[in-house]
PDB file of all heavy atoms in Angstrom:
ATOM      1  N   ASP B 285      12.319   0.538  22.186  1.00  0.00           N
ATOM      2  CA  ASP B 285      12.517   1.662  23.140  1.00  0.00           C
ATOM      3  C   ASP B 285      13.328   1.089  24.420  1.00  0.00           C
ATOM      4  O   ASP B 285      14.179   1.778  24.837  1.00  0.00           O
ATOM      5  CB  ASP B 285      11.277   2.036  23.636  1.00  0.00           C
ATOM      6  CG  ASP B 285      10.786   3.100  22.556  1.00  0.00           C
ATOM      7  OD1 ASP B 285      11.637   3.661  21.761  1.00  0.00           O
ATOM      8  OD2 ASP B 285       9.514   3.481  22.658  1.00  0.00           O
ATOM      9  N   GLU B 286      13.017  -0.098  24.783  1.00  0.00           N
ATOM     10  CA  GLU B 286      13.616  -0.602  26.010  1.00  0.00           C
ATOM     11  C   GLU B 286      14.945  -1.547  25.791  1.00  0.00           C
ATOM     12  O   GLU B 286      15.465  -1.892  26.669  1.00  0.00           O
ATOM     13  CB  GLU B 286      12.675  -1.579  26.737  1.00  0.00           C
ATOM     14  CG  GLU B 286      12.276  -2.804  26.027  1.00  0.00           C
ATOM     15  CD  GLU B 286      10.866  -3.387  26.507  1.00  0.00           C
ATOM     16  OE1 GLU B 286      10.023  -2.603  26.751  1.00  0.00           O
ATOM     17  OE2 GLU B 286      10.820  -4.655  26.505  1.00  0.00           O
ATOM     18  N   ALA B 287      15.319  -1.618  24.377  1.00  0.00           N
ATOM     19  CA  ALA B 287      16.464  -2.557  24.112  1.00  0.00           C
ATOM     20  C   ALA B 287      17.776  -1.763  24.401  1.00  0.00           C
ATOM     21  O   ALA B 287      17.945  -0.524  24.125  1.00  0.00           O
ATOM     22  CB  ALA B 287      16.314  -2.844  22.515  1.00  0.00           C
ATOM     23  N   ASN B 288      18.824  -2.516  24.855  1.00  0.00           N
ATOM     24  CA  ASN B 288      20.087  -1.944  25.070  1.00  0.00           C
ATOM     25  C   ASN B 288      20.783  -2.224  23.669  1.00  0.00           C
ATOM     26  O   ASN B 288      20.226  -2.658  22.804  1.00  0.00           O
ATOM     27  CB  ASN B 288      20.878  -2.542  26.243  1.00  0.00           C
ATOM     28  CG  ASN B 288      20.989  -4.066  26.088  1.00  0.00           C
ATOM     29  OD1 ASN B 288      20.754  -4.599  24.948  1.00  0.00           O
ATOM     30  ND2 ASN B 288      21.315  -4.644  27.185  1.00  0.00           N
ATOM     31  N   GLU B 289      22.033  -1.947  23.531  1.00  0.00           N
ATOM     32  CA  GLU B 289      22.742  -1.978  22.282  1.00  0.00           C
ATOM     33  C   GLU B 289      22.685  -3.393  21.778  1.00  0.00           C
ATOM     34  O   GLU B 289      22.401  -3.649  20.597  1.00  0.00           O
ATOM     35  CB  GLU B 289      24.141  -1.469  22.389  1.00  0.00           C
ATOM     36  CG  GLU B 289      24.758  -1.139  21.053  1.00  0.00           C
ATOM     37  CD  GLU B 289      26.189  -0.982  20.994  1.00  0.00           C
ATOM     38  OE1 GLU B 289      26.713  -0.641  21.938  1.00  0.00           O
ATOM     39  OE2 GLU B 289      26.851  -1.370  19.967  1.00  0.00           O
ATOM     40  N   PHE B 290      22.763  -4.332  22.600  1.00  0.00           N
ATOM     41  CA  PHE B 290      22.715  -5.695  22.072  1.00  0.00           C
ATOM     42  C   PHE B 290      21.381  -6.065  21.808  1.00  0.00           C
ATOM     43  O   PHE B 290      21.234  -6.830  20.666  1.00  0.00           O
ATOM     44  CB  PHE B 290      23.324  -6.736  23.309  1.00  0.00           C
ATOM     45  CG  PHE B 290      23.502  -8.051  22.744  1.00  0.00           C
ATOM     46  CD1 PHE B 290      24.354  -8.470  21.876  1.00  0.00           C
ATOM     47  CD2 PHE B 290      22.389  -8.937  22.884  1.00  0.00           C
ATOM     48  CE1 PHE B 290      24.438  -9.753  21.297  1.00  0.00           C
ATOM     49  CE2 PHE B 290      22.370 -10.263  22.429  1.00  0.00           C
ATOM     50  CZ  PHE B 290      23.543 -10.617  21.540  1.00  0.00           C
ATOM     51  N   GLY B 291      20.437  -5.649  22.559  1.00  0.00           N
ATOM     52  CA  GLY B 291      19.113  -5.880  22.164  1.00  0.00           C
ATOM     53  C   GLY B 291      18.702  -5.400  20.801  1.00  0.00           C
ATOM     54  O   GLY B 291      17.897  -5.975  19.996  1.00  0.00           O
ATOM     55  N   ARG B 292      19.255  -4.265  20.411  1.00  0.00           N
ATOM     56  CA  ARG B 292      19.116  -3.683  19.175  1.00  0.00           C
ATOM     57  C   ARG B 292      19.528  -4.568  18.071  1.00  0.00           C
ATOM     58  O   ARG B 292      18.971  -4.742  16.974  1.00  0.00           O
ATOM     59  CB  ARG B 292      19.660  -2.290  19.035  1.00  0.00           C
ATOM     60  CG  ARG B 292      19.024  -1.301  19.785  1.00  0.00           C
ATOM     61  CD  ARG B 292      19.673   0.089  19.666  1.00  0.00           C
ATOM     62  NE  ARG B 292      18.818   0.979  20.411  1.00  0.00           N
ATOM     63  CZ  ARG B 292      18.999   2.331  20.402  1.00  0.00           C
ATOM     64  NH1 ARG B 292      19.819   2.870  19.633  1.00  0.00           N
ATOM     65  NH2 ARG B 292      18.124   3.052  21.073  1.00  0.00           N
ATOM     66  N   ASP B 293      20.788  -5.191  18.298  1.00  0.00           N
ATOM     67  CA  ASP B 293      21.377  -6.077  17.346  1.00  0.00           C
ATOM     68  C   ASP B 293      20.470  -7.218  17.038  1.00  0.00           C
ATOM     69  O   ASP B 293      20.256  -7.783  15.995  1.00  0.00           O
ATOM     70  CB  ASP B 293      22.779  -6.613  17.820  1.00  0.00           C
ATOM     71  CG  ASP B 293      23.722  -5.464  17.578  1.00  0.00           C
ATOM     72  OD1 ASP B 293      23.379  -4.466  16.898  1.00  0.00           O
ATOM     73  OD2 ASP B 293      24.826  -5.566  18.090  1.00  0.00           O
ATOM     74  N   ALA B 294      19.953  -7.675  18.147  1.00  0.00           N
ATOM     75  CA  ALA B 294      18.951  -9.002  17.978  1.00  0.00           C
ATOM     76  C   ALA B 294      17.766  -8.492  17.127  1.00  0.00           C
ATOM     77  O   ALA B 294      17.285  -9.309  16.374  1.00  0.00           O
ATOM     78  CB  ALA B 294      18.541  -9.464  19.448  1.00  0.00           C
ATOM     79  N   LEU B 295      17.260  -7.328  17.498  1.00  0.00           N
ATOM     80  CA  LEU B 295      16.117  -6.904  16.642  1.00  0.00           C
ATOM     81  C   LEU B 295      16.412  -6.672  15.132  1.00  0.00           C
ATOM     82  O   LEU B 295      15.694  -7.095  14.347  1.00  0.00           O
ATOM     83  CB  LEU B 295      15.533  -5.481  17.265  1.00  0.00           C
ATOM     84  CG  LEU B 295      14.826  -5.611  18.682  1.00  0.00           C
ATOM     85  CD1 LEU B 295      14.466  -4.261  19.165  1.00  0.00           C
ATOM     86  CD2 LEU B 295      13.646  -6.510  18.492  1.00  0.00           C
ATOM     87  N   ILE B 296      17.675  -6.177  14.930  1.00  0.00           N
ATOM     88  CA  ILE B 296      18.121  -6.050  13.583  1.00  0.00           C
ATOM     89  C   ILE B 296      18.160  -7.561  12.920  1.00  0.00           C
ATOM     90  O   ILE B 296      17.879  -7.624  11.728  1.00  0.00           O
ATOM     91  CB  ILE B 296      19.475  -5.368  13.580  1.00  0.00           C
ATOM     92  CG1 ILE B 296      19.415  -3.924  13.899  1.00  0.00           C
ATOM     93  CG2 ILE B 296      20.237  -5.584  12.217  1.00  0.00           C
ATOM     94  CD1 ILE B 296      20.559  -3.239  14.095  1.00  0.00           C
ATOM     95  N   ALA B 297      18.677  -8.453  13.680  1.00  0.00           N
ATOM     96  CA  ALA B 297      18.651  -9.850  13.201  1.00  0.00           C
ATOM     97  C   ALA B 297      17.236 -10.361  12.676  1.00  0.00           C
ATOM     98  O   ALA B 297      17.108 -10.922  11.558  1.00  0.00           O
ATOM     99  CB  ALA B 297      19.167 -10.843  14.202  1.00  0.00           C
ATOM    100  N   SER B 298      16.226  -9.922  13.564  1.00  0.00           N
ATOM    101  CA  SER B 298      14.913 -10.310  13.098  1.00  0.00           C
ATOM    102  C   SER B 298      14.459  -9.527  12.014  1.00  0.00           C
ATOM    103  O   SER B 298      13.707 -10.049  11.062  1.00  0.00           O
ATOM    104  CB  SER B 298      13.953 -10.196  14.367  1.00  0.00           C
ATOM    105  OG  SER B 298      13.770  -8.878  14.586  1.00  0.00           O
ATOM    106  N   GLY B 299      14.805  -8.210  11.859  1.00  0.00           N
ATOM    107  CA  GLY B 299      14.622  -7.435  10.712  1.00  0.00           C
ATOM    108  C   GLY B 299      15.249  -8.066   9.501  1.00  0.00           C
ATOM    109  O   GLY B 299      14.578  -7.905   8.395  1.00  0.00           O
ATOM    110  N   LEU B 300      16.455  -8.545   9.586  1.00  0.00           N
ATOM    111  CA  LEU B 300      16.979  -9.183   8.475  1.00  0.00           C
ATOM    112  C   LEU B 300      16.188 -10.226   7.868  1.00  0.00           C
ATOM    113  O   LEU B 300      15.956 -10.519   6.671  1.00  0.00           O
ATOM    114  CB  LEU B 300      18.412  -9.694   8.777  1.00  0.00           C
ATOM    115  CG  LEU B 300      19.143 -10.399   7.692  1.00  0.00           C
ATOM    116  CD1 LEU B 300      19.601  -9.464   6.536  1.00  0.00           C
ATOM    117  CD2 LEU B 300      20.464 -11.028   8.230  1.00  0.00           C
ATOM    118  N   VAL B 301      15.671 -11.159   8.849  1.00  0.00           N
ATOM    119  CA  VAL B 301      14.777 -12.315   8.278  1.00  0.00           C
ATOM    120  C   VAL B 301      13.538 -11.777   7.661  1.00  0.00           C
ATOM    121  O   VAL B 301      13.140 -12.244   6.617  1.00  0.00           O
ATOM    122  CB  VAL B 301      14.379 -13.132   9.488  1.00  0.00           C
ATOM    123  CG1 VAL B 301      13.521 -14.274   9.086  1.00  0.00           C
ATOM    124  CG2 VAL B 301      15.542 -13.674  10.349  1.00  0.00           C
ATOM    125  N   LEU B 302      13.034 -10.639   8.197  1.00  0.00           N
ATOM    126  CA  LEU B 302      11.786 -10.009   7.525  1.00  0.00           C
ATOM    127  C   LEU B 302      12.190  -9.492   6.144  1.00  0.00           C
ATOM    128  O   LEU B 302      11.433  -9.607   5.199  1.00  0.00           O
ATOM    129  CB  LEU B 302      11.268  -8.887   8.361  1.00  0.00           C
ATOM    130  CG  LEU B 302      10.214  -8.023   7.770  1.00  0.00           C
ATOM    131  CD1 LEU B 302       8.992  -8.901   7.574  1.00  0.00           C
ATOM    132  CD2 LEU B 302       9.793  -6.862   8.784  1.00  0.00           C
ATOM    133  N   PHE B 303      13.382  -8.829   6.095  1.00  0.00           N
ATOM    134  CA  PHE B 303      13.832  -8.321   4.792  1.00  0.00           C
ATOM    135  C   PHE B 303      13.976  -9.405   3.779  1.00  0.00           C
ATOM    136  O   PHE B 303      13.520  -9.235   2.561  1.00  0.00           O
ATOM    137  CB  PHE B 303      15.181  -7.533   5.017  1.00  0.00           C
ATOM    138  CG  PHE B 303      15.872  -7.015   3.830  1.00  0.00           C
ATOM    139  CD1 PHE B 303      15.377  -6.082   3.026  1.00  0.00           C
ATOM    140  CD2 PHE B 303      17.062  -7.592   3.363  1.00  0.00           C
ATOM    141  CE1 PHE B 303      15.846  -5.562   1.810  1.00  0.00           C
ATOM    142  CE2 PHE B 303      17.724  -7.207   2.256  1.00  0.00           C
ATOM    143  CZ  PHE B 303      17.123  -6.163   1.468  1.00  0.00           C
ATOM    144  N   LEU B 304      14.671 -10.555   4.161  1.00  0.00           N
ATOM    145  CA  LEU B 304      14.784 -11.621   3.196  1.00  0.00           C
ATOM    146  C   LEU B 304      13.454 -12.236   2.771  1.00  0.00           C
ATOM    147  O   LEU B 304      13.270 -12.550   1.661  1.00  0.00           O
ATOM    148  CB  LEU B 304      15.716 -12.729   3.815  1.00  0.00           C
ATOM    149  CG  LEU B 304      17.105 -12.239   4.061  1.00  0.00           C
ATOM    150  CD1 LEU B 304      17.804 -13.427   4.710  1.00  0.00           C
ATOM    151  CD2 LEU B 304      17.846 -11.769   2.807  1.00  0.00           C
TER     152      LEU B 304
END
Side-chain angles (χ1 to χ4, degrees):
Chain B
D285 280 344
E286 62 202 39
N288 58 16
E289 200 194 328
F290 186 78
R292 288 184 178 188
D293 284 347
L295 291 175
I296 289 170
S298 73
L300 177 67
V301 179
L302 175 64
F303 175 64
L304 295 177

